[in-house]
């Protein structure tokens, strides 16, 4: 079963525009992570935000976390064609099985 | 390059057969995780090993089994294969045993299994 659900499922933008992806999850968490996957390749970690943090930046990435709404967003600014990929949020529950559980992903297409 | 090595990259087999997927974690990483990625189920956590011991279990079928060896490489065994087992199987590794402590996972490039 999926812990997180990303929204939208697919997103198509022009180069230079910003891309925003949202993630909702169900249980209380220890941390939330975002990963990127190029088509058919392995996942690459982008950024981690802990449950006591509200916002984090890394280069052109900005992640927010709202634990009261059980949601997170990933913003990619000034997108490039090379950002075309699927993006997944993943959570670590603070109870029960502490595995990293992935959402269903957002497919981002950046048009040059 | 994540440092995680998975073999084989591609595998085609028939229903009812058995296959073994192999994973070598990053140097120094003690935990190995197995995930299955399919179009209809998304990315599903199967099982985690830490320093040779099973640490966490997910949606792993009874037909599937895994182990981690003393040199820390891991194998995922899939038996009595069905068409629905066709998927990408990923191995990931991390330093610590608790994902909450270790942060990110490092993923291999996956083994694509096709069951005909």
């Amino acid at each position: 079963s999926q812990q997180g659900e990303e929204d939208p499922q697919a997103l198509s933008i022009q180069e230079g525009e910003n891309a925003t992806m949202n993630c909702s999850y169900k249980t209380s968490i220890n941390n939330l992570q975002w990963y990127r996957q190029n088509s058919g390749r392995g996942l690459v970690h982008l950024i981690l935000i802990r449950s006591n943090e509200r916002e984090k930046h890394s280069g052109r990435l900005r992640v927010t976390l709202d634990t009261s709404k059980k949601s997170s967003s990933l913003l990619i600014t000034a997108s490039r064609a090379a950002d075309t990929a699927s993006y997944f949020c993943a959570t670590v529950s603070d109870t029960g099985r502490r595995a990293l559980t992935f959402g269903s992903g957002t497919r981002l297409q950046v048009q040059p | 390059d994540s440092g995680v090595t998975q073999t084989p990259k591609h595998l085609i087999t028939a229903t009812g057969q058995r296959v073994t997927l192999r994973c070598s974690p990053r140097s120094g990483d003690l935990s190995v995780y197995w995930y299955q990625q399919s179009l209809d189920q998304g990315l599903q956590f199967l099982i985690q090993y830490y320093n040779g011991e099973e640490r966490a279990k997910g949606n792993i079928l009874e037909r599937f089994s895994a182990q981690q060896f003393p040199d820390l490489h891991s194998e995922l065994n899939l038996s009595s294969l069905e068409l629905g087992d066709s998927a990408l199987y990923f191995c990931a590794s991390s330093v610590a045993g608790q994902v909450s402590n270790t942060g990110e996972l490092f993923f291999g490039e996956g083994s694509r299994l096709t069951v005909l």
Side-chain angles (χ1 to χ4, degrees):
Chain A
S1 62
Q2 302 293 336
Q3 157 73 319
E5 293 297 328
E6 281 89 338
D7 170 56
Q9 289 187 339
L11 179 62
S12 182
I13 60 174
Q14 297 293 318
E15 237 180 355
E17 294 179 340
N18 295 342
T20 300
M21 289 158 266
N22 302 296
C23 167
S24 60
Y25 56 90
K26 298 173 185 172
T27 64
S28 58
I29 60 171
N30 174 282
N31 69 65
L32 184 144
Q33 304 176 31
W34 285 89
Y35 286 78
R36 165 196 167 123
Q37 183 183 30
N38 286 359
S39 181
R41 304 292 300 277
L43 283 80
V44 175
H45 180 264
L46 296 176
I47 196 167
L48 178 152
I49 186 166
R50 298 200 180 277
S51 59
N52 60 354
E53 298 176 307
R54 291 297 168 257
E55 187 171 313
K56 205 160 182 181
H57 297 254
S58 176
R60 293 184 296 112
L61 305 180
R62 172 179 168 250
V63 169
T64 62
L65 179 64
D66 186 336
T67 53
S68 66
K69 295 181 179 177
K70 291 187 169 56
S71 67
S72 173
S73 68
L74 171 67
L75 169 67
I76 304 174
T77 60
S79 62
R80 306 164 182 168
D83 294 329
T84 294
S86 291
Y87 292 82
F88 295 87
C89 70
T91 55
V92 178
S93 173
D94 63 356
T95 59
R97 187 184 74 210
R98 295 172 186 256
L100 190 61
T101 307
F102 286 82
S104 51
T106 292
R107 292 186 306 279
L108 174 65
Q109 176 79 39
V110 181
Q111 306 286 351
Chain B
D1 182 5
S2 67
V4 178
T5 303
Q6 288 188 248
T7 57
K9 287 186 168 44
H10 301 276
L11 192 55
I12 301 174
T13 188
T15 55
Q17 296 298 303
R18 172 190 171 93
V19 299
T20 297
L21 309 180
R22 181 187 168 102
C23 169
S24 294
R26 284 191 325 156
S27 176
D29 284 358
L30 299 178
S31 273
V32 169
Y33 308 77
W34 286 98
Y35 283 84
Q36 178 195 57
Q37 186 177 38
S38 60
L39 284 175
D40 56 345
Q41 293 291 322
L43 202 62
Q44 298 284 329
F45 168 68
L46 297 179
I47 198 163
Q48 176 202 354
Y49 278 83
Y50 174 73
N51 205 21
E53 300 290 327
E54 183 183 304
R55 179 59 66 98
K57 208 166 187 175
N59 303 320
I60 187 166
L61 300 173
E62 285 190 12
R63 299 183 287 109
F64 297 179
S65 65
Q67 54 185 325
Q68 187 179 28
F69 295 87
D71 67 352
L72 301 177
H73 91 270
S74 178
E75 293 181 355
L76 179 66
N77 300 296
L78 314 175
S79 61
S80 302
L81 286 168
E82 302 175 358
L83 296 177
D85 297 328
S86 295
L88 257 176
Y89 290 86
F90 286 106
C91 168
S93 73
S94 68
V95 170
Q98 287 282 2
V99 177
S100 56
N101 296 336
T102 195
E104 67 180 293
L105 300 188
F106 295 87
F107 279 79
E109 290 296 311
S111 292
R112 182 174 293 280
L113 173 66
T114 302
V115 182
L116 301 176

PDB file of all heavy atoms in Angstrom, chain A residues 69-86:
ATOM      1  N   LYS A  69      -1.390  19.082   8.341  1.00  0.00           N
ATOM      2  CA  LYS A  69      -2.174  18.684   7.171  1.00  0.00           C
ATOM      3  C   LYS A  69      -1.636  17.397   6.547  1.00  0.00           C
ATOM      4  O   LYS A  69      -2.187  16.908   5.558  1.00  0.00           O
ATOM      5  CB  LYS A  69      -2.161  19.789   6.118  1.00  0.00           C
ATOM      6  CG  LYS A  69      -2.845  21.061   6.554  1.00  0.00           C
ATOM      7  CD  LYS A  69      -2.825  22.112   5.450  1.00  0.00           C
ATOM      8  CE  LYS A  69      -3.537  23.375   5.907  1.00  0.00           C
ATOM      9  NZ  LYS A  69      -3.480  24.438   4.870  1.00  0.00           N
ATOM     10  N   LYS A  70      -0.560  16.869   7.116  1.00  0.00           N
ATOM     11  CA  LYS A  70       0.081  15.670   6.570  1.00  0.00           C
ATOM     12  C   LYS A  70       0.354  15.866   5.079  1.00  0.00           C
ATOM     13  O   LYS A  70      -0.070  15.057   4.225  1.00  0.00           O
ATOM     14  CB  LYS A  70      -0.763  14.418   6.808  1.00  0.00           C
ATOM     15  CG  LYS A  70      -0.845  14.012   8.275  1.00  0.00           C
ATOM     16  CD  LYS A  70      -1.554  12.672   8.437  1.00  0.00           C
ATOM     17  CE  LYS A  70      -1.429  12.117   9.837  1.00  0.00           C
ATOM     18  NZ  LYS A  70      -1.908  13.002  10.888  1.00  0.00           N
ATOM     19  N   SER A  71       1.054  16.932   4.769  1.00  0.00           N
ATOM     20  CA  SER A  71       1.346  17.206   3.367  1.00  0.00           C
ATOM     21  C   SER A  71       2.711  17.874   3.218  1.00  0.00           C
ATOM     22  O   SER A  71       3.225  18.499   4.146  1.00  0.00           O
ATOM     23  CB  SER A  71       0.257  18.094   2.748  1.00  0.00           C
ATOM     24  OG  SER A  71       0.296  19.371   3.326  1.00  0.00           O
ATOM     25  N   SER A  72       3.247  17.721   2.026  1.00  0.00           N
ATOM     26  CA  SER A  72       4.529  18.326   1.690  1.00  0.00           C
ATOM     27  C   SER A  72       4.460  18.798   0.247  1.00  0.00           C
ATOM     28  O   SER A  72       3.673  18.282  -0.552  1.00  0.00           O
ATOM     29  CB  SER A  72       5.657  17.299   1.845  1.00  0.00           C
ATOM     30  OG  SER A  72       6.891  17.799   1.371  1.00  0.00           O
ATOM     31  N   SER A  73       5.298  19.768  -0.076  1.00  0.00           N
ATOM     32  CA  SER A  73       5.387  20.188  -1.471  1.00  0.00           C
ATOM     33  C   SER A  73       6.853  20.310  -1.866  1.00  0.00           C
ATOM     34  O   SER A  73       7.703  20.632  -1.049  1.00  0.00           O
ATOM     35  CB  SER A  73       4.660  21.506  -1.697  1.00  0.00           C
ATOM     36  OG  SER A  73       5.346  22.556  -1.026  1.00  0.00           O
ATOM     37  N   LEU A  74       7.094  20.023  -3.131  1.00  0.00           N
ATOM     38  CA  LEU A  74       8.425  20.177  -3.721  1.00  0.00           C
ATOM     39  C   LEU A  74       8.310  21.201  -4.829  1.00  0.00           C
ATOM     40  O   LEU A  74       7.505  21.031  -5.752  1.00  0.00           O
ATOM     41  CB  LEU A  74       8.933  18.857  -4.291  1.00  0.00           C
ATOM     42  CG  LEU A  74      10.216  18.915  -5.127  1.00  0.00           C
ATOM     43  CD1 LEU A  74      11.408  19.289  -4.248  1.00  0.00           C
ATOM     44  CD2 LEU A  74      10.470  17.587  -5.837  1.00  0.00           C
ATOM     45  N   LEU A  75       9.100  22.251  -4.730  1.00  0.00           N
ATOM     46  CA  LEU A  75       9.138  23.292  -5.754  1.00  0.00           C
ATOM     47  C   LEU A  75      10.486  23.235  -6.443  1.00  0.00           C
ATOM     48  O   LEU A  75      11.525  23.267  -5.790  1.00  0.00           O
ATOM     49  CB  LEU A  75       8.933  24.672  -5.124  1.00  0.00           C
ATOM     50  CG  LEU A  75       9.210  25.887  -6.018  1.00  0.00           C
ATOM     51  CD1 LEU A  75       8.184  25.964  -7.147  1.00  0.00           C
ATOM     52  CD2 LEU A  75       9.203  27.165  -5.199  1.00  0.00           C
ATOM     53  N   ILE A  76      10.457  23.132  -7.761  1.00  0.00           N
ATOM     54  CA  ILE A  76      11.672  23.223  -8.568  1.00  0.00           C
ATOM     55  C   ILE A  76      11.596  24.548  -9.310  1.00  0.00           C
ATOM     56  O   ILE A  76      10.673  24.773 -10.107  1.00  0.00           O
ATOM     57  CB  ILE A  76      11.788  22.064  -9.576  1.00  0.00           C
ATOM     58  CG1 ILE A  76      11.730  20.719  -8.856  1.00  0.00           C
ATOM     59  CG2 ILE A  76      13.080  22.177 -10.381  1.00  0.00           C
ATOM     60  CD1 ILE A  76      11.697  19.520  -9.796  1.00  0.00           C
ATOM     61  N   THR A  77      12.520  25.428  -9.043  1.00  0.00           N
ATOM     62  CA  THR A  77      12.489  26.742  -9.691  1.00  0.00           C
ATOM     63  C   THR A  77      13.313  26.715 -10.973  1.00  0.00           C
ATOM     64  O   THR A  77      14.252  25.926 -11.119  1.00  0.00           O
ATOM     65  CB  THR A  77      13.034  27.828  -8.758  1.00  0.00           C
ATOM     66  OG1 THR A  77      14.393  27.492  -8.411  1.00  0.00           O
ATOM     67  CG2 THR A  77      12.209  27.917  -7.484  1.00  0.00           C
ATOM     68  N   ALA A  78      12.937  27.596 -11.899  1.00  0.00           N
ATOM     69  CA  ALA A  78      13.670  27.766 -13.161  1.00  0.00           C
ATOM     70  C   ALA A  78      13.991  26.409 -13.778  1.00  0.00           C
ATOM     71  O   ALA A  78      15.168  26.055 -13.984  1.00  0.00           O
ATOM     72  CB  ALA A  78      14.945  28.564 -12.915  1.00  0.00           C
ATOM     73  N   SER A  79      12.949  25.643 -14.061  1.00  0.00           N
ATOM     74  CA  SER A  79      13.144  24.262 -14.496  1.00  0.00           C
ATOM     75  C   SER A  79      13.912  24.179 -15.815  1.00  0.00           C
ATOM     76  O   SER A  79      13.910  25.106 -16.632  1.00  0.00           O
ATOM     77  CB  SER A  79      11.798  23.564 -14.631  1.00  0.00           C
ATOM     78  OG  SER A  79      11.022  24.211 -15.614  1.00  0.00           O
ATOM     79  N   ARG A  80      14.566  23.045 -15.992  1.00  0.00           N
ATOM     80  CA  ARG A  80      15.354  22.760 -17.191  1.00  0.00           C
ATOM     81  C   ARG A  80      14.851  21.467 -17.807  1.00  0.00           C
ATOM     82  O   ARG A  80      14.251  20.642 -17.120  1.00  0.00           O
ATOM     83  CB  ARG A  80      16.823  22.607 -16.813  1.00  0.00           C
ATOM     84  CG  ARG A  80      17.401  23.768 -16.030  1.00  0.00           C
ATOM     85  CD  ARG A  80      18.702  23.406 -15.376  1.00  0.00           C
ATOM     86  NE  ARG A  80      19.254  24.511 -14.585  1.00  0.00           N
ATOM     87  CZ  ARG A  80      20.249  24.393 -13.732  1.00  0.00           C
ATOM     88  NH1 ARG A  80      20.827  23.215 -13.556  1.00  0.00           N
ATOM     89  NH2 ARG A  80      20.676  25.447 -13.056  1.00  0.00           N
ATOM     90  N   ALA A  81      15.130  21.271 -19.071  1.00  0.00           N
ATOM     91  CA  ALA A  81      14.723  20.032 -19.743  1.00  0.00           C
ATOM     92  C   ALA A  81      15.278  18.813 -19.007  1.00  0.00           C
ATOM     93  O   ALA A  81      14.639  17.757 -18.953  1.00  0.00           O
ATOM     94  CB  ALA A  81      15.185  20.047 -21.200  1.00  0.00           C
ATOM     95  N   ALA A  82      16.462  18.963 -18.424  1.00  0.00           N
ATOM     96  CA  ALA A  82      17.095  17.855 -17.703  1.00  0.00           C
ATOM     97  C   ALA A  82      16.361  17.494 -16.415  1.00  0.00           C
ATOM     98  O   ALA A  82      16.636  16.442 -15.817  1.00  0.00           O
ATOM     99  CB  ALA A  82      18.552  18.201 -17.381  1.00  0.00           C
ATOM    100  N   ASP A  83      15.411  18.332 -15.991  1.00  0.00           N
ATOM    101  CA  ASP A  83      14.615  18.019 -14.796  1.00  0.00           C
ATOM    102  C   ASP A  83      13.506  17.029 -15.116  1.00  0.00           C
ATOM    103  O   ASP A  83      12.806  16.558 -14.208  1.00  0.00           O
ATOM    104  CB  ASP A  83      14.003  19.292 -14.205  1.00  0.00           C
ATOM    105  CG  ASP A  83      15.044  20.246 -13.647  1.00  0.00           C
ATOM    106  OD1 ASP A  83      16.091  19.768 -13.164  1.00  0.00           O
ATOM    107  OD2 ASP A  83      14.805  21.474 -13.696  1.00  0.00           O
ATOM    108  N   THR A  84      13.293  16.740 -16.395  1.00  0.00           N
ATOM    109  CA  THR A  84      12.273  15.769 -16.786  1.00  0.00           C
ATOM    110  C   THR A  84      12.546  14.425 -16.133  1.00  0.00           C
ATOM    111  O   THR A  84      13.605  13.831 -16.325  1.00  0.00           O
ATOM    112  CB  THR A  84      12.250  15.606 -18.324  1.00  0.00           C
ATOM    113  OG1 THR A  84      11.829  16.829 -18.912  1.00  0.00           O
ATOM    114  CG2 THR A  84      11.297  14.490 -18.739  1.00  0.00           C
ATOM    115  N   ALA A  85      11.585  13.972 -15.337  1.00  0.00           N
ATOM    116  CA  ALA A  85      11.747  12.744 -14.548  1.00  0.00           C
ATOM    117  C   ALA A  85      10.470  12.516 -13.754  1.00  0.00           C
ATOM    118  O   ALA A  85       9.544  13.323 -13.800  1.00  0.00           O
ATOM    119  CB  ALA A  85      12.938  12.870 -13.583  1.00  0.00           C
ATOM    120  N   SER A  86      10.443  11.419 -13.023  1.00  0.00           N
ATOM    121  CA  SER A  86       9.383  11.203 -12.039  1.00  0.00           C
ATOM    122  C   SER A  86       9.911  11.556 -10.663  1.00  0.00           C
ATOM    123  O   SER A  86      11.077  11.283 -10.349  1.00  0.00           O
ATOM    124  CB  SER A  86       8.911   9.744 -12.059  1.00  0.00           C
ATOM    125  OG  SER A  86       8.219   9.455 -13.248  1.00  0.00           O
TER     126      SER A  86
END
